[in-house]
């Protein structure tokens, strides 16, 4: 009786896990995992149809020729995997191996291979030496078929969770490959190595960012360097920005530096923005990200830089960047640029627009500007700026111009 009761408990546990199959396998999983949605019964005339969702083992013992039999190994293994018990994990692995031997052409075989990695990863974390060895061998595997990539990535992730010191050299081997068929694998390996926060992983990412032949792999390495909050990472990004000949990589390096909350990173961006011997569009990019920092040092740097640069494009970007600072000082500076007759009309209009958008310039001050200006183009800009304000006084100012302005078009 007791034995039958234990069997019933086991069946209930499997059934409970079976009902949760529609959920994702694990939040930490890398890449696509095994199929986790049980298909609806499809062979309704099959005598095993009524048992499909209940007792997988009875399908195999009583209906060995059923259409459901090959995939029943996988779904029972998945249900047992979801329970998480060591005994159930070992049974799940045995089921997957039996499916591989008996039904190599089963519809769920590819999913079963991925599931086997997850199961062995769990067992390896609990001290199972054979599972650990299998995971290591899978992670070290060579070959080109793309279908192997996802299994290897899952094995690498499992190895990283189990023994990160052993995983990092294997990841280095993967990232050292230069063959075209390993591109996708290298892209995924970049993410994995980035999760190991150490000087070694920073060095690996730097090497990839500089030397990998695939631009996407290099770009991802640079991005993940932005998440490594160390001075070594900042130095690495600065060197990539200065030494790389790839414009896309340099843009990523500028962004990555902007994400580091350190004075060294800020100084690197300012230094680059000030250089006249680098591409103007990259300086423009650096100026934009400096403006996003919202610090007093950045605001002062941009105001000083404005008087150093000759390019109207760069001046325009500085005006915009200062407008993002939001404050009375920034508003006054913008208004000064709008009133400066030595500036080009285009820059004056831009400065006036952003000063008005900031809301730091009172409406009555805009009215005074309109009346004092003899530049018709600037008067049109004041009218436009007033039209963008939501205060009642702005409507009154526009009505006053409409009533009293002698220029009918204005």
């Amino acid at each position: 009786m007791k034995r039958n009761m234990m069997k019933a408990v086991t069946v209930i546990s499997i059934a409970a896990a079976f009902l949760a199959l529609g959920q994702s396998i694990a939040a930490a999983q890398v890449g696509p995992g095994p199929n986790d949605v049980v298909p609806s019964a499809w062979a309704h005339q099959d005598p095993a149809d009524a048992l499909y969702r209940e007792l997988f083992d009875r399908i195999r013992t009583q209906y060995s020729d059923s259409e459901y039999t090959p995939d029943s190994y996988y779904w029972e293994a998945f249900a047992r995997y979801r329970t998480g018990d060591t005994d159930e994990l070992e049974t799940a692995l045995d089921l997957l191996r039996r499916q591989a031997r008996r039904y190599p052409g089963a519809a769920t075989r590819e999913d079963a291979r991925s599931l086997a990695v997850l199961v062995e990863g769990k067992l390896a974390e609990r001290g199972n030496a054979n599972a650990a060895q299998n995971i290591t061998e899978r992670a070290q595997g060579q070959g080109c078929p793309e279908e192997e990539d996802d299994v290897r990535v899952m094995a690498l992730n499992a190895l990283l969770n189990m023994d990160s010191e052993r995983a990092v050299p294997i990841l280095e081997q993967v990232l050292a490959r230069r063959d075209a068929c390993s591109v996708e694998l290298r892209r995924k390996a970049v993410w994995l190595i980035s999760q190991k926060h150490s000087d070694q992983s920073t060095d690996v990412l730097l090497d990839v960012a500089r030397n990998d032949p695939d631009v996407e792999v290099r770009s991802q390495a640079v991005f993940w360097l932005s998440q490594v909050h160390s001075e070594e990472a900042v130095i690495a990004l600065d060197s990539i920005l200065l030494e790389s000949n790839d414009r896309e990589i340099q843009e990523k390096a500028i962004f990555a530096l902007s994400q580091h909350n350190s004075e060294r990173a800020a100084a690197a961006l300012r230094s680059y923005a000030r250089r006249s011997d680098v591409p103007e569009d990259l300086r423009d990019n650096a100026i934009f990200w400096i403006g996003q920092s919202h610090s007093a040092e950045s605001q002062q740097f941009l105001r000083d830089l404005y008087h150093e640069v000759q390019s109207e494009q760069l001046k325009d970007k500085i005006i915009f960047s200062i407008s993002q600072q939001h404050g009375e000082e920034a508003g006054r500076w913008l208004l000064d640029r709008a009133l400066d007759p030595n500036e080009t009309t285009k820059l004056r209009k831009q400065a006036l627009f952003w000063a008005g958008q900031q809301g730091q310039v009172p409406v009555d001050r805009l009215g005074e500007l309109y009346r004092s200006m003899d530049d018709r183009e600037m008067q049109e800009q004041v009218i436009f700026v007033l039209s963008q304000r939501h205060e009642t006084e702005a409507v009154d100012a526009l009505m006053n111009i409409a009533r009293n302005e002698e220029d009918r078009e204005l």
Side-chain angles (χ1 to χ4, degrees), residues 143-217:
C144 201
E146 290 184 8
E147 59 268 20
E148 295 290 332
D149 285 356
D150 292 332
V151 171
R152 287 195 64 199
V153 170
M154 294 173 70
L156 285 166
N157 189 47
L159 187 59
L160 199 63
N161 292 331
M162 175 183 72
D163 185 353
S164 60
E165 296 306 318
R166 193 189 310 179
V168 170
I170 297 175
L171 285 167
E172 287 188 77
Q173 293 173 17
V174 171
L175 291 168
R177 292 175 62 177
R178 294 293 180 260
D179 51 302
C181 66
S182 68
V183 170
E184 287 299 323
L185 184 59
R186 298 202 308 274
R187 290 175 182 174
K188 294 169 183 175
V190 165
W191 184 87
L192 288 172
I193 197 73
S194 73
Q195 305 309 296
K196 174 66 176 174
H197 302 298
S198 67
D199 292 343
Q200 185 181 8
S201 62
T202 301
D203 291 341
V204 173
L205 288 172
L206 176 57
D207 179 68
V208 172
R210 286 173 168 163
N211 301 315
D212 195 280
D214 181 73
V215 66
E216 183 62 28
V217 176

Side-chain angles (χ1 to χ4, degrees), residues 226-279:
S226 73
Q227 308 302 303
V228 179
H229 299 294
S230 70
E231 291 298 289
E232 291 76 13
V234 172
I235 294 170
L237 289 167
D238 190 26
S239 68
I240 290 170
L241 176 59
L242 297 177
E243 298 169 10
S244 176
N245 294 318
D246 187 311
R247 191 64 58 87
E248 184 177 344
I249 297 297
Q250 289 177 297
E251 288 178 358
K252 291 277 177 37
I254 289 172
F255 169 77
L257 283 168
S258 75
Q259 302 306 295
H260 278 267
N261 187 24
S262 74
E263 180 53 39
R264 184 187 285 271
L269 279 181
R270 293 170 194 158
S271 175
Y272 193 82
R274 185 165 262 144
R275 292 182 60 161
S276 59
D277 60 338
V278 298

Side-chain angles (χ1 to χ4, degrees), residues 17 78-89 122 126:
F78 192 96
R80 291 180 182 277
Y81 163 74
R82 290 298 294 267
T83 68
D85 294 335
T86 300
D87 289 345
E88 298 290 1
L89 290 172
K122 291 290 186 184
R126 299 177 187 184

Side-chain angles (χ1 to χ4, degrees), residues 370 383 395-408 410:
Y370 182 87
I383 290 172
V395 180
D396 294 338
L398 288 170
M399 291 293 289
N400 186 54
I401 294 172
R403 288 193 184 102
N404 302 312
E405 175 57 61
E406 295 182 0
D407 185 321
R408 294 176 63 83
L410 286 172

Side-chain angles (χ1 to χ4, degrees), residues 5-18:
M5 181 68 73
M6 291 300 292
K7 285 185 177 180
V9 170
T10 300
V11 171
I12 291 170
S13 298
I14 294 172
F18 184 70

